[in-house]
Amino acid sequence: MYNRLNDVLSGTEANYMLPFYWQHGDHTDTIPEEVERIYQSGCRALCVESRPHRDFCGDGWWRDMDIILAESEKRGMKVWILDDDHFPTGHAVGQIKNHPELRKWQLVERHVDVMGPLTDALLPADNTNADHILLGVYAYPRTGEGEDCAPEPFCLTDGVSGKFLQFTVPEGCWRIFFLYKSRKGTRQTDYIDMLREESVRVLIDAVYESHWAHYAKYFGNTIAGFFSDEPELGNGAMYAKDNFLGTEQDLPWGGTIEKEVSAALGENWKEKLHLLWRDGEEAAQVRSKYMDVLTKLVRSAFSQPVAAWCREHGVRYIGHVIEDDGQHCRTGSSLGHYFRGL
């Protein structure tokens, strides 16, 4: 601490602050004055806040960045760049609309209880299409204790035809689970899939590569790096306290997760998926294995490729990860695992 204080008093301290410098695209003529004010405040770096800008990664953005970088270089200041046009990071400047096949997927569970015996009964089933795919239908006997179901279900998948499930079950109370791989109802329909590297590449190409194309000469000197703002898996309600496995929300299901989950859960793995929304010892084991697979995919498909790109281009990658109220270990407004996210 003494050394730090001595550095400050002697004016030899390093820079410790990089304030957000908000850009709206409507004050180009005042940029030199504003950069000077940041410099006079003692800050030797700034982070260009892109989200309010009217033309991020367009001609207006490059016009303003030309001035910001030139003024910062003059003063020996470092520049960080916020890496998207929307909150949170992952919108990829809207480019995912040009790659609909790379949109995110979710695992959807629906269930209904029926009393047997029932023969050739009918239940409505979802209309399926390329964006809403049936994975399986299973009937489990209810135990009579809370929401518990006994193991060893009947597989009823073959009974689905069009809009209906035709089924037969023995006497007793049965819970019938429908499982879908779906894009239907996804909260962020125009965001990248954090579980697929080729989807993450859309963000890299739209933001990172375009800045490299314009400003390669500044990389590693004036441009210090990029700033991600609270990237998230984006299923369920944002910031909900119950936004966790075991509630009535859809779950991330992109990339190679089906292969990884099947390997983790073993034979008859689809029969165990309903436990992601249940309580109990076996359910906890299934949820734990799912989260382990999920967050490793986030790390390998999102965190590591973006970081690798930055290393290869001589800059750093920093940002915010939401950890408030345990969000960092959930699947909605964060990345499911604090350290793998980092």
Side-chain angles (χ1 to χ4, degrees):
M1 179 60 75
Y2 175 80
N3 290 337
R4 295 290 192 194
L5 289 172
N6 198 45
D7 288 346
V8 171
L9 291 172
S10 63
T12 59
E13 79 279 3
N15 180 72
Y16 303 120
M17 297 184 69
L18 45 129
F20 277 176
Y21 179 26
W22 291 77
Q23 298 302 307
H24 297 267
D26 59 358
H27 62 283
T28 304
D29 56 332
T30 65
I31 288 175
E33 177 187 352
E34 291 167 351
V35 173
E36 173 65 15
R37 287 180 180 177
I38 294 171
Y39 180 83
Q40 291 299 330
S41 76
C43 296
R44 295 296 179 261
L46 56 86
C47 183
V48 186
E49 169 56 274
S50 59
R51 291 171 301 189
H53 199 283
R54 301 169 180 178
D55 191 25
F56 180 59
C57 290
D59 291 341
W61 175 257
W62 307 127
R63 174 202 64 210
D64 294 348
M65 283 299 298
D66 286 348
I67 302 171
I68 291 170
L69 289 168
E71 294 295 327
S72 298
E73 182 184 38
K74 250 194 283 186
R75 296 167 176 80
M77 298 173 68
K78 300 294 185 183
V79 174
W80 299 82
I81 302 166
L82 205 138
D83 70 347
D84 216 335
D85 66 334
H86 274 211
F87 165 85
T89 288
H91 187 245
V93 202
Q95 289 302 304
I96 204 69
K97 68 179 181 294
N98 297 323
H99 306 276
E101 75 284 1
L102 298 179
R103 290 172 294 149
K104 62 177 61 178
W105 288 99
Q106 295 189 151
L107 178 65
V108 176
E109 176 268 351
R110 304 288 183 261
H111 65 262
V112 62
D113 288 351
V114 299
M115 292 298 298
L118 287 171
T119 302
D120 294 332
L122 292 177
L123 276 176
D126 287 2
N127 288 325
T128 56
N129 53 47
D131 283 342
H132 194 63
I133 300 167
L134 180 67
L135 294 180
V137 183
Y138 300 93
Y140 296 79
R142 299 292 304 276
T143 65
E145 298 182 9
E147 297 294 308
D148 287 351
C149 295
E152 300 181 2
F154 286 107
C155 180
L156 302 177
T157 309
D158 291 342
V160 176
S161 178
K163 298 181 180 180
F164 293 96
L165 163 68
Q166 184 174 6
F167 67 100
T168 295
V169 295
E171 185 175 355
C173 183
W174 296 80
R175 176 158 289 181
I176 300 179
F177 290 94
F178 295 80
L179 297 166
Y180 298 92
K181 173 185 175 181
S182 183
R183 291 185 171 119
K184 180 181 177 181
T186 305
R187 176 164 62 83
Q188 295 174 329
T189 57
D190 56 352
Y191 267 64
I192 62 170
D193 184 350
M194 297 284 181
L195 307 183
R196 299 176 66 187
E197 189 170 347
E198 59 267 41
S199 187
V200 173
R201 186 71 211 187
V202 176
L203 171 67
I204 293 173
D205 288 344
V207 179
Y208 291 70
E209 288 285 0
S210 63
H211 280 83
W212 172 255
H214 281 82
Y215 303 122
K217 69 176 183 179
Y218 288 116
F219 272 60
N221 44 76
T222 301
I223 294 179
F226 291 88
F227 185 102
S228 268
D229 198 17
E230 301 174 4
E232 62 178 41
L233 285 160
N235 65 299
M238 294 179 66
Y239 312 124
K241 290 185 178 181
D242 63 349
N243 189 2
F244 195 48
L245 300 184
T247 63
E248 298 297 322
Q249 65 168 334
D250 304 333
L251 299 173
W253 196 252
T256 60
I257 195 168
E258 191 164 312
K259 176 183 175 183
E260 305 294 336
V261 167
S262 65
L265 298 183
E267 191 178 0
N268 301 322
W269 61 277
K270 286 185 182 180
E271 297 178 6
K272 302 172 185 177
L273 290 180
H274 77 284
L275 293 170
L276 292 170
W277 291 270
R278 310 270 77 80
D279 293 323
E281 183 176 343
E282 185 182 8
Q285 293 174 2
V286 170
R287 294 204 303 266
S288 179
K289 289 177 180 178
Y290 166 79
M291 286 294 280
D292 188 46
V293 165
L294 173 72
T295 54
K296 284 178 178 176
L297 282 177
V298 172
R299 180 179 62 189
S300 63
F302 173 70
S303 302
Q304 290 178 338
V306 176
W309 189 97
C310 288
R311 288 191 195 98
E312 290 166 6
H313 293 78
V315 293
R316 294 186 175 185
Y317 175 53
I318 63 174
H320 288 156
V321 174
I322 289 207
E323 56 185 304
D324 311 60
D325 197 26
Q327 295 298 315
H328 64 284
C329 61
R330 301 178 183 182
T331 63
S333 56
S334 199
L335 296 176
H337 190 299
Y338 185 71
F339 296 104
R340 287 175 184 169
L342 292 180

